[in-house]
Amino acid sequence: MFFLLRQLVPQQRLFESDAAIANSGDDRSLASDHPALGVRRRQIVEGHYGDVKLDNLSFVRVGRWEGDLWARKATGIAGLYIDDHADDRQMEALPAIIGGRAGGFPGWVNECFAGGRQSRGIERANITYEIAPDLGQWGVGIVGKIKAWATAISGPTSPPGKYPQLINAPGSETGPGPQLVTCGKSTILSVDAHGFKFEYTLNSAKHIPFDWVGP
């Protein structure tokens, strides 16, 4: 079944795509023998799965993965939260896309987990988030379960209000395309959800827009 998920709206380009906070340091988390724990939130500005509209829905994945993803030698386990206003058809459609069963880039990523991917379940949740207009900081929360905040990286030579961004990323979690990666670091990553319990600070964080079509 055909699907489209889009998050390329300039004025929201933060969680309107992929906002990831992980404990592994940087993109090496996708090509490493060291296990990584992390939280990822995606906001769909415009989308559908067949005739099921997915506009303005968000979802949060918390999980653990290890191995070299790009060499298709990864294993993973994760749990998923979807906006509590999602109806039953949307609750069925989103996991089909996210899990790769509908093809597209998520389907390609699914094939990279040669060691398998396990699910710890899917739940509705009241997902809150905040995004600075200049992408200087971002955060997501689910009361009693997840609190993840990050700030964009800056330094003594950074122009005011300007943050490190990367085009043509060699390993983008949202796939190839015109994505502009904003680089950040976490200030808090606290999780007690889907059987995961961990807390970290000063870890890798990113924002990446996405535009997925499948199969």
Side-chain angles (χ1 to χ4, degrees):
M1 186 178 295
F2 180 82
F3 77 85
L4 177 146
L5 298 183
R6 178 163 290 154
Q7 256 194 326
L8 294 176
V9 181
Q11 64 268 26
Q12 294 181 342
R13 197 182 59 229
L14 167 66
F15 274 89
E16 86 182 296
S17 103
D18 179 76
I21 301 176
N23 77 324
S24 54
D26 52 33
D27 274 340
R28 289 174 295 179
S29 61
L30 301 181
S32 172
D33 292 329
H34 301 288
L37 295 162
V39 171
R40 175 167 288 116
R41 179 184 185 275
R42 289 183 171 126
Q43 172 72 37
I44 303 165
V45 172
E46 173 190 2
H48 64 86
Y49 180 64
D51 63 351
V52 180
K53 298 289 287 183
L54 301 172
D55 299 2
N56 302 315
L57 283 175
S58 65
F59 57 92
V60 174
R61 173 181 280 169
V62 55
R64 177 182 186 272
W65 65 96
E66 59 185 298
D68 189 337
L69 180 70
W70 303 133
R72 302 195 170 200
K73 297 179 181 178
T75 60
I77 182 168
L80 189 67
Y81 294 99
I82 297 175
D83 272 330
D84 56 7
H85 63 265
D87 63 28
D88 289 345
R89 296 184 71 203
Q90 292 168 330
M91 288 290 291
E92 293 178 0
L94 272 176
I97 296 171
I98 300 162
R101 299 191 301 275
F105 181 72
W108 184 88
V109 170
N110 190 56
E111 295 174 358
C112 295
F113 285 87
R117 300 174 84 181
Q118 299 178 46
S119 172
R120 287 193 173 173
I122 303 167
E123 299 178 20
R124 287 184 172 91
N126 180 14
I127 301 169
T128 61
Y129 68 97
E130 189 173 321
I131 307 166
D134 65 355
L135 302 185
Q137 62 180 0
W138 55 89
V140 60
I142 298 175
V143 173
K145 299 180 183 294
I146 294 171
K147 184 178 182 180
W149 281 88
T151 58
I153 295 172
S154 62
T157 61
S158 300
K162 302 293 184 181
Y163 305 104
Q165 294 182 313
L166 175 68
I167 60 173
N168 301 320
S172 171
E173 295 96 323
T174 61
Q179 292 89 336
L180 185 64
V181 182
T182 301
C183 304
K185 60 183 179 180
S186 67
T187 56
I188 181 65
L189 174 57
S190 179
V191 171
D192 186 0
H194 282 302
F196 295 100
K197 190 168 185 176
F198 54 88
E199 187 164 331
Y200 299 98
T201 57
L202 298 178
N203 302 304
S204 170
K206 294 178 289 256
H207 167 265
I208 317 171
F210 66 89
D211 194 357
W212 291 346
V213 177

